[in-house]
Amino acid sequence: MIRKPFKIMIAAALAGTALTACGPVKTGAAALVGNDRITIAKLNSTVDKWSKELPKYPGAQQIAQQAQAQGQQVPFDPSSPQRSALYQLVDMLVWDEVGRADGVSVSGGQVDAIIAQNGGLPTIDANVLAQGLPTEYSRDYVKSVVLRQELMRKYGVTTAQDQQSQQQALQQVAGMYQRAGRRLKLDVNPRYGSFDFQHMALGPVCPTLSKPDSGTPTTSGGVSCQA
């Protein structure tokens, strides 16, 4: 059974200036997120594993197509597997920091329950592949989704009685995400774009910063490149 994309989007725009890279990343790094260094080699290896697994899960492409038909951007950057994978890896690390700072954690039992409720591991694997990651990240991805659910429940996003209250709750959670990124001093190699915290997404690759990877659009992911 093919289910709708297993993903949570927080559709809240934050006021103020977007945070971007704090400085030049170290040689060989695709991104620095606190003490975590996502190397270009690791990113390429992740994408290689994803590309080998994808043909084995025809449901993954169906999930992506269904999401796209509903106006969702799945995977994050259809023209760049590297950007799609990097966005997911960075996003999970930032949400981990949000949960740590707010004292919200997710147990293995919660992860198991969500997997069971959503068609079992094969269905989750297909969803994770649709997002641009290999299946080795399936449990990490589910954990990140459950963490967001817990945070949104805690701050009233899912229980708000009116649109204004829901928007205020969303902004509160999104603000926590922004502050987590500031604490982590998130820095993305400009060849993959820069992280735009105002839109909670990986921004476009700007030719003035670095020559973009082949096929990477300059209009996806939040902010526009400056002339």
Side-chain angles (χ1 to χ4, degrees), residues 98-127:
V98 174
R100 184 203 64 76
D102 200 56
V104 176
S105 61
V106 176
S107 69
Q110 287 176 285
V111 172
D112 291 337
I114 292 296
I115 291 174
Q117 292 166 16
N118 285 271
L121 195 57
T123 300
I124 297 297
D125 285 345
N127 272 272

Side-chain angles (χ1 to χ4, degrees), residues 46-112:
T46 297
V47 171
D48 184 58
K49 292 176 183 177
W50 167 82
S51 66
K52 290 177 180 177
E53 289 186 341
L54 187 62
K56 302 176 184 178
Y57 289 79
Q61 186 59 38
Q62 295 179 42
I63 291 169
Q65 290 173 349
Q66 289 174 5
Q68 291 165 9
Q70 297 169 7
Q72 299 179 39
Q73 196 165 310
V74 176
F76 173 76
D77 186 342
S79 71
S80 175
Q82 284 78 16
R83 273 170 49 83
S84 292
L86 184 61
Y87 166 70
Q88 295 295 344
L89 294 174
V90 168
D91 191 55
M92 288 190 293
L93 289 171
V94 177
W95 281 114
D96 280 348
E97 171 62 17
V98 174
R100 184 203 64 76
D102 200 56
V104 176
S105 61
V106 176
S107 69
Q110 287 176 285
V111 172
D112 291 337

Side-chain angles (χ1 to χ4, degrees), residues 175-216:
M176 293 164 59
Y177 186 98
Q178 185 184 46
R179 290 189 292 275
R182 183 182 292 114
R183 287 194 302 273
L184 292 170
K185 298 180 180 179
L186 172 56
D187 197 2
V188 175
N189 189 316
R191 71 185 292 185
Y192 305 109
S194 61
F195 209 88
D196 171 20
F197 280 89
Q198 190 169 14
H199 297 87
M200 300 168 69
L202 188 62
V205 177
C206 297
T208 55
L209 296 177
S210 169
K211 183 179 179 181
D213 292 339
S214 177
T216 301

Side-chain angles (χ1 to χ4, degrees), residues 118-196:
N118 285 271
L121 195 57
T123 300
I124 297 297
D125 285 345
N127 272 272
V128 170
L129 285 163
Q131 298 292 346
L133 289 176
T135 59
E136 67 184 65
Y137 288 99
S138 289
R139 291 187 65 85
D140 291 332
Y141 186 82
V142 173
K143 177 183 175 183
S144 186
V145 171
V146 176
L147 178 60
R148 279 171 268 182
Q149 288 176 334
E150 292 297 316
L151 286 163
M152 288 194 292
R153 185 179 298 111
K154 178 177 180 178
Y155 288 94
V157 176
T158 57
T159 58
Q161 299 298 311
D162 57 81
Q163 186 174 0
Q164 183 178 0
S165 296
Q166 184 183 59
Q167 183 68 16
Q168 290 174 345
L170 279 168
Q171 288 178 340
Q172 187 172 5
V173 175
M176 293 164 59
Y177 186 98
Q178 185 184 46
R179 290 189 292 275
R182 183 182 292 114
R183 287 194 302 273
L184 292 170
K185 298 180 180 179
L186 172 56
D187 197 2
V188 175
N189 189 316
R191 71 185 292 185
Y192 305 109
S194 61
F195 209 88
D196 171 20

